[in-house]
Amino acid sequence: MPQYNPPLRDMQFVMHELLNVVDELKLLPAHADIDVDTINAVLEEGGKFASQVIAPLNLSGDAEGCQLDKSTHEVTPPKGFKEAYKQYVEGGWPALSCDPEFGGQGLPLMINQGLYEMMNSANQAWTMYPGLSHGAYEALHAHGTPEQKATYLPKLTSGEWTGTMCLTEPHCGTDLGMLRSKAEPQADGTYKITGSKIFISAGEHDMVENIVHLVLARLPDAPAGSKGISLFVVPKFKVNADGSLGERNPVFCTGLEHKMGIHANSTCQITLEGAVGTLVGQPNKGLAAMFVMMNAARLGVGNQSLGLTEVAYQNAVAYAKDRIQMRALSGPKSPDLPADPIIVHPDVRKMLLTARAYAEGGRALATYVALQLDKALASDDEDERKECEAEVALLTPIIKAFITDNGWIATSHCMQVFGGHGFIHESGMEQFVRDARINMIYEGTNTIQSLDLLGRKVLANNGATLKKFGKKIAAFVEEEGVVEAMQEFVNPLADIGDKVTKLTTEIGMKAFQNPDEVGAAAVDYLRVVGHLTFAYFFARMAKIALEKQGSGDKFYTAKLATARFYFAKLLPETAGLIRSCRAGLTPLMEMDEALF
Amino acid sequence: MPQYNPPLRDMQFVMHELLNVVDELKLLPAHADIDVDTINAVLEEGGKFASQVIAPLNLSGDAEGCQLDKSTHEVTPPKGFKEAYKQYVEGGWPALSCDPEFGGQGLPLMINQGLYEMMNSANQAWTMYPGLSHGAYEALHAHGTPEQKATYLPKLTSGEWTGTMCLTEPHCGTDLGMLRSKAEPQADGTYKITGSKIFISAGEHDMVENIVHLVLARLPDAPAGSKGISLFVVPKFKVNADGSLGERNPVFCTGLEHKMGIHANSTCQITLEGAVGTLVGQPNKGLAAMFVMMNAARLGVGNQSLGLTEVAYQNAVAYAKDRIQMRALSGPKSPDLPADPIIVHPDVRKMLLTARAYAEGGRALATYVALQLDKALASDDEDERKECEAEVALLTPIIKAFITDNGWIATSHCMQVFGGHGFIHESGMEQFVRDARINMIYEGTNTIQSLDLLGRKVLANNGATLKKFGKKIAAFVEEEGVVEAMQEFVNPLADIGDKVTKLTTEIGMKAFQNPDEVGAAAVDYLRVVGHLTFAYFFARMAKIALEKQGSGDKFYTAKLATARFYFAKLLPETAGLIRSCRAGLTPLMEMDEALF
């Protein structure tokens, strides 16, 4: 069975040495009291919960899956899931970064990001049960009426209830403008909602007494398309005025999806048969309200693959040190053994270091963005809030798509380190690969993310936000460009920065001629910009490691080696990506549809 | 449920227009009577078997898996498998390219390659039952005694019996020198074999009356390591002198592996408890004898991913034409529908064309190699036999590793085209991905293939074989370099050819200093050389398509568009690979093992 050790040292390095998060957070009135010890203590305890409580349920949960009783519409998750969730609630974890007004602890989102990375490493399928709640919490917190907030937020904060996002229907996922679920206004101001939803994560289970569905549906007089969609909150059990649970609402799980991975999460087909709900936000403005959840969810999905990358790496390293097979080409390294541990083989190391670099780069980027999000939410300076918000918007599709694509590569490499044993369920490695695969699809496919980045976040404002982020990189290059030991990092960083600038301009020009050029370039482009962000953070981390490597703490030696590996072996991928990107639209559109 | 249409037109193009196989095969005495109609008729019938008989069993076979009765050690494959196998035998398919001396039809291996591509598309797990037999057939044909041949070859040829390869043990797969199974010589010249084997494909099933295990084991006086391994043939039921079946041999399936994919193949743990076998080939020369099977198996594994790439492509195309979602960025293409079919989106086309190009490039390369193999086996000119054999040896690791890595990329892309529906079992797309994954591992991991290519096939003979293959490319470049319309293909082909030459020399020099440089470079290097071979065949195919596109047959228009896509969007990957390769060993070895 796979093992998991929370990477606390690297998290602390990123938070306290790379990003100095306490200095930044203390400037925010809501977090004025934060300190290093609190952050570390929370993460340490969170790591215990992840590694000791939910990690042992990951492999068994995958094998067992969820069971639906079709007569009662009740779903039973795998053994141990309910008990683990109880511990999670008792530990107060759901409330970590929720609003104190509703019972939350009010800690920075950045800490929650760290907690979730660890829980995703331990058990992605389990973590989706509380994970979806957080999205529902945020949508209601941002758009709910005072009554809705009072009814739902304390329960979501405590974790006594969980939430879902009911968006997708069989005929539409990406294109929610086509959705058909209907909401009929009732005399009492509520709505009766009817429709069929699919792919609803954590859609039904017995771990809590109530489930809060956030449902997209169409009002009778709604305009066609995406401008006619409204958001409703539809509880599994109606809630009486005194907060007690009333009768069962006809929102039923009518089927469980048979999936490639995340078997232990109940991915439901949900049928609403005139279920009673209330409107969240304005009529016909449901997509905007839903995007509050969606943006958080996209960061959360990147975090899922970050977690899987880390845990796959840890287990592949353990196996590579233990498994003996063949001799090093340069001669025996363990002559006393019948063969050398496979970690002596350069390509095994290449696979391991790829996963390691993707985990460390992803952690730096995701933690940075979580910090910017805390500032976007809690700064008392409106300009700063807006600037941070724009940067988070820019980097969100990169976190979603780049980290999940990397996670697919990394988990597959780590499985490959196990050879044939990696293909066997008991190793746990193939599960990481299967679980990682969904992260490239849900909450907007990675193609959609790339269009969001290039079309909406970059070209739509003439690259203004990207330029601002680029200025931070340029300042670092300027500052460190004179340091001899930093040349090996700063030069390629400056180079990829220049190339991104040129490429952006070039695509922008082409897109004037034909908007489809955006679609042709976007996926390659996102990956190039993703590498730019990783190159930036690896260069910054290398700077610290260079300064501190004399301390005798081997952590810095390893960090430096990982950064060098990243620049030598992973960043070069951009050379091919840029060429492919520049080849443009014609090679994609030349073939007539009928000839495919 | 996925659909499958045998790609007969493209197979015929590759065989008759690209490679002129009939002209080449007719020169071989064994195939002097071959003609186009025979080849096409066999492939057409084979395609019917694949698409009508075994394709419908693929999805259900995956869901059902195999069942082991632990009391009898008998394994039952999924429903319909046995009946399909009966049809396969009745159709005479196992005998297709077997030796007429033992009841075979004596047709070229190249036709068998085409048949197997289609069967792999239809049902990889099913196809492994007869597929493994072919390896056993070849090992016995090459190394068996006259008695062994008389006993086993007619039954393997007819398909009445199937074969296995029993190599791997729990502690060794790649490093067979460590294996522990023992063979005790008996007074009657037989051996009693004892040991534990794992990962034995088609190791036990009820589809045939006898199973012929080819088993690696160690004689009592055998030297340590790989020079002390012998090959034995161990039948499930002993065979009496008159050919009738005798008593059950104690070679038992003691467990079925729980795998990520190929669920319908019975991947067995096999325990030999003094099972009686006879020696194949010389004592202690078992690995050499086994390599006859292994080389064929490696080509077969590449062919598995070729099949999966093709079928995944076909289904993704059908979905992309049918599924409507969003509008083209350049404006509605189907204004009468609520949204456009997703094939209008450039990135959807990019994913589809990637799979298409990998299928067509793989088919050209694999068919070419199968033809060279026919010449290596059947030419009456010893020099030609040797030259073809060397070229097949060079290209075998490329077929195994490049096509299976491409298959992983392609099936994953095709699954992505389906969005969330691709993650669901019923679509069949996620099965293609899971099945494709094992092909990168078994019969020598892709890392092992890359070491075989760079170390053994290229550097060990100072690049002589690669240079000979390179001369064919250079001759084509020379010939076509003057044709205006061919510039777009010939120039990048010449460029990547030059780069491979330089890269090979550079790695060779480094390897003199440190043999581990080979291990550091090999995987990137194989992928670069793989692209060189694809670029060569796509340029040759483009030449034909250019010549014939005026014929009005749109096949040539599509071929040209696919070739252009390949050069514009896939070949550029080599730019990054070469940089990573040239970065060499240091970034991989810098980090101390303890710091991982």
Side-chain angles (χ1 to χ4, degrees), chain B residues 3 22 31 58 66 130 137 174 206 222 238 248 252 260 277 279 306 376 490 519 545-546 548 552:
Chain B
Q3 300 300 308
V22 170
H31 303 306
N58 195 39
C66 295
Y137 165 90
T174 299
D206 65 359
K238 292 177 193 168
R248 179 76 158 90
F252 296 126
M260 181 183 193
L279 184 69
L306 171 57
V490 168
L546 278 168
K548 298 191 181 175

Side-chain angles (χ1 to χ4, degrees), chain A residues 146-204:
Chain A
E147 200 183 345
Q148 285 169 333
K149 290 186 185 187
T151 305
Y152 297 109
L153 290 183
K155 296 289 192 179
L156 288 170
T157 298
S158 69
E160 288 167 272
W161 299 353
T162 60
T164 77
M165 293 167 67
C166 296
L167 288 69
T168 304
E169 300 184 0
H171 64 290
C172 70
T174 299
D175 194 354
L176 291 169
M178 295 202 290
L179 71 79
R180 294 180 191 145
S181 291
K182 284 180 186 167
E184 292 282 340
Q186 304 298 301
D188 63 356
T190 66
Y191 298 80
K192 283 203 167 176
I193 298 160
T194 306
S196 293
K197 299 285 180 178
I198 59 169
F199 304 162
I200 308 307
S201 300
E204 180 56 64

Side-chain angles (χ1 to χ4, degrees), chain B residues 390-461:
Chain B
E391 196 173 275
V392 171
L394 174 77
L395 297 175
T396 295
I398 295 173
I399 287 191
K400 161 60 164 88
F402 189 57
I403 295 183
T404 63
D405 282 347
N406 293 346
W408 177 242
I409 294 165
T411 54
S412 178
H413 276 352
C414 291
M415 174 183 159
Q416 187 79 10
V417 168
F418 277 65
H421 296 274
F423 198 67
I424 305 301
H425 183 260
E426 286 76 1
S427 74
M429 301 307 290
E430 58 91 35
Q431 183 188 348
F432 297 141
V433 179
R434 288 186 287 103
D435 288 354
R437 189 63 186 82
I438 189 57
N439 301 339
M440 299 150 80
I441 299 175
Y442 61 15
E443 307 303 341
T445 65
N446 285 1
T447 300
I448 293 294
Q449 303 301 323
S450 72
L451 292 169
D452 180 46
L453 173 70
L454 180 55
R456 217 172 295 156
K457 307 292 173 59
V458 174
L459 296 180
N461 67 5

Side-chain angles (χ1 to χ4, degrees), chain B residues 33 54 70 107 174 275 407 488 579 585:
Chain B
D33 297 337
I54 59 174
K70 289 216 171 181
L107 286 168
T174 299
E488 59 175 316
R579 286 182 196 208
L585 181 64

Side-chain angles (χ1 to χ4, degrees), chain B residues 125-348:
Chain B
W126 183 92
T127 302
M128 290 172 68
Y129 291 99
L132 268 292
S133 294
H134 210 79
Y137 165 90
E138 287 184 22
L140 287 168
H141 193 270
H143 296 281
T145 62
E147 200 183 343
Q148 285 170 333
K149 290 186 185 186
T151 304
Y152 296 109
L153 291 184
K155 296 292 193 178
L156 288 170
T157 298
S158 69
E160 289 165 272
W161 299 353
T162 60
T164 77
M165 294 168 65
C166 296
L167 287 69
T168 305
E169 300 184 0
H171 65 291
C172 69
T174 299
D175 195 354
L176 291 170
M178 295 201 291
L179 69 80
R180 294 178 191 146
S181 291
K182 283 181 188 167
E184 292 284 339
Q186 306 297 301
D188 64 355
T190 65
Y191 297 81
K192 283 203 166 174
I193 299 160
T194 305
S196 293
K197 299 286 180 178
I198 59 170
F199 303 162
I200 308 307
S201 300
E204 180 58 64
H205 58 88
D206 65 359
M207 288 153 57
V208 291
E209 51 184 21
N210 205 7
I211 296 175
V212 183
H213 300 284
L214 275 282
V215 181
L216 289 183
R218 215 175 260 292
L219 292 168
D221 56 350
S226 58
K227 288 174 183 162
I229 293 169
S230 305
L231 181 65
F232 301 88
V233 56
V234 181
K236 176 178 173 184
F237 288 99
K238 292 177 193 168
V239 185
N240 299 322
D242 65 353
S244 65
L245 294 187
E247 62 176 341
R248 179 76 158 90
N249 214 354
V251 47
F252 296 126
C253 173
T254 45
L256 288 177
E257 310 286 2
H258 307 110
K259 309 184 299 289
M260 181 183 193
I262 52 167
H263 290 166
N265 197 270
S266 65
T267 309
C268 299
Q269 296 158 14
I270 295 276
T271 306
L272 299 112
E273 301 172 354
V276 176
T278 53
L279 184 69
V280 180
Q282 300 301 307
N284 301 328
K285 303 281 186 198
L287 276 191
M290 204 55 156
F291 258 95
V292 173
M293 291 179 77
M294 199 102 87
N295 279 326
R298 287 175 175 183
L299 294 174
V301 172
N303 204 11
Q304 292 179 322
S305 283
L306 171 57
L308 292 174
T309 301
E310 173 67 32
V311 71
Y313 168 74
Q314 289 187 14
N315 284 280
V317 165
Y319 189 81
K321 289 180 178 181
D322 182 60
R323 174 80 168 179
I324 59 168
Q325 208 82 179
M326 312 296 283
R327 292 296 183 187
L329 291 179
S330 51
K333 299 291 176 271
S334 299
D336 45 328
L337 295 176
D340 288 333
I342 61 173
I343 200 168
V344 306
H345 303 303
D347 189 60
V348 170

Side-chain angles (χ1 to χ4, degrees), chain A residues 467-501:
Chain A
K467 275 179 204 151
K468 275 194 186 157
F469 185 68
K471 275 189 186 161
K472 295 187 182 181
I473 299 176
F476 178 80
V477 167
E478 176 83 14
E479 178 90 9
E480 300 301 325
V482 294
V483 181
E484 179 66 26
M486 281 296 289
Q487 297 298 307
E488 59 175 313
F489 307 110
V490 168
N491 292 344
L493 172 61
D495 180 58
I496 187 68
D498 289 346
K499 283 178 174 152
V500 166
T501 305

Side-chain angles (χ1 to χ4, degrees), chain B residues 525-560:
Chain B
Y525 180 82
L526 183 143
R527 214 166 156 77
V528 173
V529 180
H531 273 299
L532 172 64
T533 67
F534 273 32
Y536 171 52
F537 285 110
F538 267 117
R540 285 180 58 182
M541 293 192 283
K543 172 181 145 67
I544 299 165
L546 278 168
E547 286 163 2
K548 298 191 181 175
Q549 65 174 338
S551 70
D553 183 346
K554 292 288 188 188
F555 174 86
Y556 301 107
T557 312
K559 182 63 79 181
L560 208 50

